[in-house]
Amino acid sequence: MPAISLTHYVVLSALLFSIGLFGVLTKRNAVAVLICIELMLNAVNINLVAFSKYVTPTDFIGQIFSIFVITVAAAEVGVGLAIIIAIYRNRLSVNLDDFDWLKW
Amino acid sequence: MLRTQEYFLNFGPQHPSTHGVFQIILTLDGERIVKAEPVCGYLHRGIEKLAESRTYTQVIPYTDRMDYLAAMLQNLGYVQAVEKLMGIEVPERAEYLRIISGELSRLASHLLATGVYALDIGGFTGFLLCFRERERVMDLLEELTGSRMTLSYARIGGVADDAPEGWLDKVKKLMDDMPGYIDEYNGLITGNEIFQARTKFVGQLTPETAINYSLSGPVLRASGVNYDLRKVRPYGIYDRFDFEVPLGENGDCFDRFYCRVREMQQSVRIIQQAIEQIKEVDGPVIAKVPKVLKPPKSDVYHEIESAKGIIGYYVVSDGSNKPYRVHVRRPSFINLGYLDEMLRGYLIADVVAILGSIDIVLGEVDC
Amino acid sequence: MKEKIAPVEEIKQKFGYIEVDEQKAVNVPAGKLLEFMQALKDEYELDFLTNLTAVDYPEENKFEVVYNLTSTTKAYGLMVRTGVDRENPVLPSVFPIWGGANWQEREVYDLMGIVFTGHPNLKRILLDDKFEGHPLRKDFQWEGGRE
Amino acid sequence: METSIYSVIAFYGLAITILGNATLVVFARNIVHSVLFLAVTFIAMGGLFLLLDADFLAAVQVLVYAGAVCIMVVFGIMLIQRADMKATNQFNRQIFAGGGLVALVVAMCAVFAGRTAWTELVAAQEVPAGTVQFIGELLLSKYVIPFEVAALLLLVALIGAIVIARDEEVKANAGD
Amino acid sequence: MLVEFAMQHAWLVPLLPALAFVIIVFLTRPFRKLSAIVAVGSMAVACFFATLAAYGIFTNHEYIEKPLVYATRWFSLGLPGMPDLRVDVGVQLDPVSAMMLFMVSFIATFIFLYSIGYMEGDPGYSVFFSYLSLFGASMLLLVISSNLLQMFVAWELVGLCSYLLIGFFTHKISAREAAKKAFVTCRIADFGLLLGLLALQIVFGTLNLTELAEKIEHFEEYTTFGMLTLIAVLVFIGPIGKSGQFPLHVWLPDAMEGPTPVSALIHAATMVVAGVYLVGRTMFLFHEVPSAMQLVAVTGGFTALFAATIAITQREIKRILAYSTVSQLGYMMLALGVGSLTASMFHLWTHAFFKALMFLGAGSVLHALHHKADVWEMGGLYKKMPITTWTFVIGGLAIAGIPPFAGFWSKDEILVAALNGGHYVLFAMAAFTAFLTAFYMWRMIFLAFFGEENPANHPHESPWTMTLPLVVLSVGAIGAGWLGTPWYNIWGEWIKFGHPHHGPVNYGAMLLSIVLAAAGIYLAYMLYLKDAKKKRARKMAEWFGPVYRMLYNKYYIDELYLWFNHALVDGTARLFYLFDIYVVDGIVNGIGAFARLSGDGLRVFQSGRIQNYVLIFFLGVLAVAVLMAFTGPSAASLVLGGVK
Amino acid sequence: MFGQGLIKGLQITWKEFWAKKFTVQYPEEQHPVPERFHGKFVLDVDKCIACGLCANACPNKVITIEKQKVGKKQYMTGYIMNIQYCLFCGLCVESCNKDALHYSKDFNMNQYFYRDIPLVLVKREAPAEPEEEEQPAAKAEARPKAKPQAKAEKPAEPAANSEVAAGKVPGKEGE
Amino acid sequence: MLENLFVGIADWLRSLLGGLGTPVEINEAIVMLVKLVAILVFILINALWLVYMERKVAAYMQARIGPNRVGPKGLLQTTADIGKLISKEIVIPGKADKVVFLLAPVLIFVPTLMVFAVIPFGKNMAAIDMNIGVFYLLAIASLSTLFFWMGGWASNSKYSLIGSMRVVAQMVSYELPLVLGLLGVIMIAGSLKMSDIIAAQEHTWFIFTQPIAFLIYFTAAVAETNRCPFDLVEGESEIIAGPYTEYGGMAFAMFFLAEYANIMVICAMATIMFLGGWHAPFGLDFIPSWVWFFLKMYALIFVVMQLRWTYPRIRVDQLMGFSWKVLVPLALANIFITGIGMKIYQAIGW
């Protein structure tokens, strides 16, 4: 059995990212889209940490960066959910297909 | 507080803090109450209808079953109404025994209300400590009447029996102990900051509203309305006793609760005075009344201050030995009438606080 | 037991249409009820509606609705009765005058079947909404009791 | 570098957990189930971080993602709940277009991953044990400004979320 | 010493009410009583200063001959056409302005006092007093101005206050409409005035009154006679509007929708005479242009008669008074036109007292009758409201011209001036007007205060704050005219244009005017008091049916204006409207349509669904990535526009 | 100061923690039952004259008295209380002129089967023959539930009461 | 000897396994397994005991004697209860989300058990002495919110829904003051490692240097475990039993036991962080360290119980307000003061 290398993590990350992207593109529920975005961000985090470990093990840049990613993700979820709730209160819907007011 | 869609919540009829089978259909927005619709009648037994086919004496046990927590006061209201109808004079000693047993009943009821209110707010220990003393009160009542709750002690023209040997001393002893107990409740429940935070300025009632909605008892007096029938229109021999009417300031849940606590102290005072005075009174405990009671064709309304508020009996006689119509003005029932408006805008936890502070007993609400 | 009763004679002089019986209770025709009650509250400070109930008199073909009023300031009371036709038991609600009539009128409606016009929420209170009949009427028949 | 058989097993186990749960997140019919699968994904990700010698990050992952983000989402779902939770998480009309695009992305990534010589990048060092101290020092020295900015971001997001989600006060007679 | 101080600091007089305005608006608005006290107090102090200043002027002869001017530079700038435009601001105290200063502040004080009672219970109590104070400040500023531009500013401020106060009862549609009407009408007139002022500035290079007076004496150095005539006429347009002269008088009766103190203060005593005052101030201009003088005289005379005829038929008490005001203003104009500043100012002075008195009396009646204005519905008020009635009667005697009341002397002065000037037609008009005045005034008095009581009314006497001004003003209405009796005309010594001229005492004219007044009163008595059922009055009305209706409808002038407005203004507007729609909008819409059409084409890509955008976005990303992968980063940066 | 009430509460519970307990361990210990306790009914059959006053006094129609005519005399064959309807108000005990009906201190009236709930105080067969007076009447009869001592003595009473037992038959439920 | 009782057992097990000749990794794994099983058993027994203790404490404070029939002094009462509950059916409501409904009571124990892995019960008596022990504990503990929520949500009952809303809101808001309260200690100790923190208290317990932090932590911890006066998650007078309303039988018992396990966790944590862990006070170290640990822990548990049986419940808005308006600012102030204090301390250089 081959040892686990950087490639494994990169592939895992790519697959996770794709799954998340698929969700973002195809889910109807706004909350579902939000959590799929979280999946994508996690995929990014895997990459960051894996590169940090394999490429620059003593610098921790990747880890610190992913801490910031996590921070941003938390903020994003908070604000995103707030927006969804605000929209829901006005429209009684979280269906993204209904949110087409950008179209004139 | 975040808002949600409005939704319904069936608060009861099987709910730990509705004090029986009572239902409130709450319309909620988050935890905030938008509308509250009280639904009662789960314990309706048709006592008013039953009374029409019973003789005057036979109605007495049914009155017990309304406010079973202060049964003596219910009996008293009824028998005094019938006595008024027939013009019967009650012997002195019977009057004193009525006062003592009635005030003991009130004490029992208020002890329960105090304890259960602590439980409603979440303090279990206060509940059981109050029950400990209530047990002593009920032991005394049991010794006097043979029953613990549904006393059926009053009779038209007097009371069923004279006090047993040594009973008055036992009452006196309990009365001497009560202030200490009440201090303990005040320390454990009343003085607690959390309790006060939960109850102060919750469910406030202005005096005008309270009067307009015919609220009575501690609920009315907590709003600062000095209206206690024992003082305003003394019935029986209440004018012989020196006591105060505790009043609230804000008309909130805390005042209603604390009014009851202070009323207990006043009850103790009344009983102590009654025990002092009864020693000089001797004689029969029941007036000479005919075996078959046939009041003249008339109607009468008589009201007394029960533990929950003003209980009134409207008795119509058609000259036969059975009442033509008996109606009871039940304080718990009428005190509940303002519940909807009182609850609006408060949280679910306040429902319990407000409902508990009104101190209802469902046997009386549903009659 | 001293009964304190509102100055009935004075009221009688003021309102000619009322009748006062020997118990100093007042009988009011149903048509004048609201006007009379409002006057009682405003002028005689009878601000507390303690009791509201009804009695069925099938022989006289009427219901009698009884109002017991007291005053929280003057410490007197007054009993007011009014008769309602048994076939068409409709009476104006006193809810606008005393909020305390709210549930009491519902109770009377529920058990006696008297309709109070102007009541905000007149529906059954003690009995089930599907219940038929009004049990406190003298001619109410019910099967299913004990024996 | 990793030679231990356990780490290989752990990696594959975690990878399967992550991918499987992520797929379930996307394909679950019930949004609540989606979130629960998401939580599992996050926790497994924490394990993956442990495998990558980032123990602090693993704890942060569990604390923030599983403990906070999921809870937040769950709370949001409660506020926007519907009667038929079973059909709360459906696909929209561009499922095939999206699928096609994702397939392209995967293919592209595969090509790139295959073409890149990863082994050249790999450094010959080990990650030192006890990453917390290092990360802490870095965060408060070299990266102090991003750190502060992140704090500010969180504050702004907090206030923003409150402002957006808040509604007019219900007219109430409660005095709170 | 105090007198000197007052004279040197005459600017304090307008400043005090202005301060009161500021205080009320910013500080005391929530406190009703305090606002009233501030307003009345400031006006009373201003009155005190004004009295001192006037005293100083009238006791120092040098000032009577030569005005006392304190001025400072307001602004100066160079404009094309007016290379060195300098505008001063300052106070000019001479007998005319001193008289006006005293009169305005005195009457205003009492009307303020009256308002305390009259406006009781009105929600805008404080606001009302703030407006009143602002009005007082503006009016006093107008009076005291040494510069025509400064005066114009005050003139407009006065107009603004008039607008605010007429429309004070904003809940009444009629009040709002009346306010609008007054404002628009006055603005039309002011436009003429402004043109005149501009011409003066351009021609003479100054607007300072003293300088202008000097320069106009030698106008030939600056301009032609025609130009001067034009300027005079333009300047006169302003007073026509403000003083309610014939074609632009329509706003004044309608202005009676405002609260009665406002009517009394603004539309009887002070503001409306601003026009007369302006003409008086610029007498040096008109003096040079006889044709303009003629115009003034004819306008005045005609207005006097015209308004008096209307007043005969009106029914509302304040409307009658309003037309009477218009008529009396015409008198003043007439006096100016015949060249007698003295007579004009004298009538202005007496008129202020008795007209204010009558308005306040009318207000008192309205207050008592809860704003029932029709005189036919009143009657017999003298029993319940003695003070109001008797003061009103004094006012009526004064305006009718019964000696020794104030109106007699001033009216006589005008008649004599007209006669002396040789304007016989005007004299006849004025005399007939005097007869009519007596008639309609006493018609109103008999109808309203005497005769049978209307049982529907429950009048009551007004509070002291309202009756005190009545009493004080009635004293003025009796005695104000004694300053200028033909035998000892001290008024003429003080207030004059050029040299005082003492003609002989014209007993004929005096007798004529007394007889006319008495005849008017007697006719009114016969028709409206003696004949309790008023049959004769009705018969008269039937007799003169068409005339009566025409008079009752005020010669249909309002309708005429409406028609004019409708036909001409709206017609022109319709034309412009069509132009706007088809030409202007056509161009704009054409540009818009182009943009929209091109947008429609691009709109296909805008589905509004965010996920669609994400899809497209990622397609782009993919494309760029593929590009980068197969062509290297440089090509990608070429596409993306990055820096190499 | 904020917190005083909280500390006071803790003091009270701490004190109660060590205080005497009020629990009564029921089957082993028992509260003393007071003299007037409204417990299970006891009928002194020998005193009872089956007059029916108690049945009339009862508000809830609990008491059923069965009588049978034996010859000229009424003979009480059953005294049954439908105890599930009993209000324990004491009106029946008060109404008894002969002091035959009593409360006992026995409060345990629970039964396993619903049919056992009615309290049968007297259930016996009427004697077949109208016996002669002064004959010990029901001595030999089967009295399954009646108290043994009640039937042991006082033979004369039942005979005597049959004359008096003229009271109304318990009224039917009218409504 | 007693001191090293448990360590000794572990060593003995190792040597035993070493004698068998199995690979070291497997030996270690077995030892770890034994440790975990021991902890598991220990927790469960403790939870049972705590239920009994709670009932006894409650009864004694309420003038009664509590369970006294099953076993001596009612000691086996909880066991009997568990026996009863196991035999009962778990009723799944018709509209419930069945899988989640059943999963929640199972999972509710997981974080609690995982947390116990890092708690040092005595000298050298932690299963794993993790580098980021405190942080790990907080991270894992935060998971339990989700499981409470799962239970409440899946029941599909309105009372449960309100309960789960409250549980989420309450636990999220009180996590913050909890962590902030601990931060002061962590700052002084300079480590996230439990053993380091305990070692730092060898002379002075942190309760004396950080009294405010202790109060904040303890309050927040009581709220985290949904205990009175913060028990409005299950506030029985308002929302019946909150998230557990629809649960019966053993499923309910799991929630019930988990509550007591959580109390143990917070009290153990408080002992470690503030009460010197297994350090003996006054030099009484002849008593084994783990005895001290348990003594301190149980004293705290007793306080928690006494709080419950003394105080009423606070309201939901007061709960939130208390956290955000009182505890969090106080904790932040405490951190600030601690930082300044440390600087001064370093500057003086004691």
Side-chain angles (χ1 to χ4, degrees), chain B residues 8 10 17 31 120 125 197, chain G residues 158-159 166 237-238 309 318:
Chain B
F8 292 106
N10 267 322
S17 39
E31 285 211 21
D120 281 343
T125 304
Chain G
K158 283 182 183 151
Y159 287 113
R166 284 184 177 185
S237 61
E238 299 152 21
W309 297 109
Q318 293 163 347

Side-chain angles (χ1 to χ4, degrees), chain E residues 269-297:
Chain E
T270 59
M271 185 191 89
V272 289
V273 304
V276 179
Y277 179 73
L278 180 71
V279 176
R281 267 281 135 116
T282 52
M283 202 63 194
F284 48 79
L285 171 63
F286 288 90
H287 192 72
E288 297 296 326
V289 192
S291 51
M293 287 288 268
Q294 203 66 33
L295 179 70
V296 172

Side-chain angles (χ1 to χ4, degrees), chain F residues 45-81:
Chain F
V45 182
D46 300 333
K47 281 186 188 168
C48 182
I49 53 172
C51 60
L53 275 179
C54 48
N56 267 338
C58 180
N60 231 6
K61 318 283 192 284
V62 169
I63 302 170
T64 319
I65 301 176
E66 287 165 14
K67 280 177 280 196
Q68 206 172 347
K69 204 149 191 164
V70 180
K72 285 178 196 157
K73 291 162 189 168
Q74 296 270 19
Y75 186 79
M76 183 170 74
T77 55
Y79 191 102
I80 297 160
M81 296 179 98

Side-chain angles (χ1 to χ4, degrees), chain G residues 11 25 59 67 69 73 76 88 104 119 122 124 135 138 160 169 172 208 211 221 223 242 269 316 346:
Chain G
D11 286 345
E25 282 108 354
R69 295 282 168 185
K73 293 275 174 196
L76 295 177
K88 281 181 126 179
I119 288 180
N124 306 324
F135 200 59
L138 293 172
S160 303
V172 167
F208 299 116
M269 195 67 187
V316 66
Q346 283 165 6

